Amino acid sequence: SSGTQLVSTGKKESIVIYTLYGCGRCILALKELEKSGIPFKEKSITLSPENEAMMWGELNKTGNIGAQVQMPVFIINGKVFSNIGDLETFISGLK
């Protein structure tokens, strides 16, 4: 661990969002996160095989060993959230 901690004023949540270039849902999720003022760390898998491998490592732990996942993928306090239907509702629930 590099010791980077994400701390918000309310709930202390660590949020990582894996994104893909040109993904409309990813853009929407990032906008919603920024709007809500929730601290997060974005990891793009587009030019980073390392980030993509990390994302699939997390997904595999949840039993998703398929070749497809609906982006974006969230890791919140170590818990994996993928194939999220309604992003706006999901993100507003994080506040």
Side-chain angles (χ1 to χ4, degrees):
S1 167
S2 59
T4 52
Q5 265 191 317
L6 298 176
V7 178
S8 63
T9 48
K11 284 184 266 180
K12 290 190 174 70
E13 288 187 312
S14 154
I15 299 177
V16 173
I17 176 171
Y18 286 96
T19 60
L20 185 65
Y21 180 76
C23 153
R25 288 171 48 84
C26 300
I27 295 163
L28 171 72
L30 291 170
K31 275 189 185 152
E32 288 296 315
L33 282 167
E34 281 165 11
K35 207 163 70 180
S36 62
I38 299 168
F40 65 92
K41 181 171 181 156
E42 180 186 5
K43 292 187 179 183
S44 173
I45 66 169
T46 304
L47 297 170
S48 173
E50 187 188 356
N51 281 351
E52 187 171 7
M54 277 196 293
M55 180 187 82
W56 279 107
E58 294 289 348
L59 286 166
N60 292 348
K61 285 186 222 165
T62 70
N64 183 342
I65 50 173
Q68 283 188 312
V69 67
Q70 187 181 36
M71 299 294 288
V73 171
F74 285 84
I75 315 289
I76 300 172
N77 297 333
K79 199 164 178 233
V80 183
F81 296 88
S82 61
N83 298 319
I84 300 154
D86 184 341
L87 283 166
E88 291 179 54
T89 302
F90 175 78
I91 291 164
S92 68
L94 297 176
K95 289 176 202 170

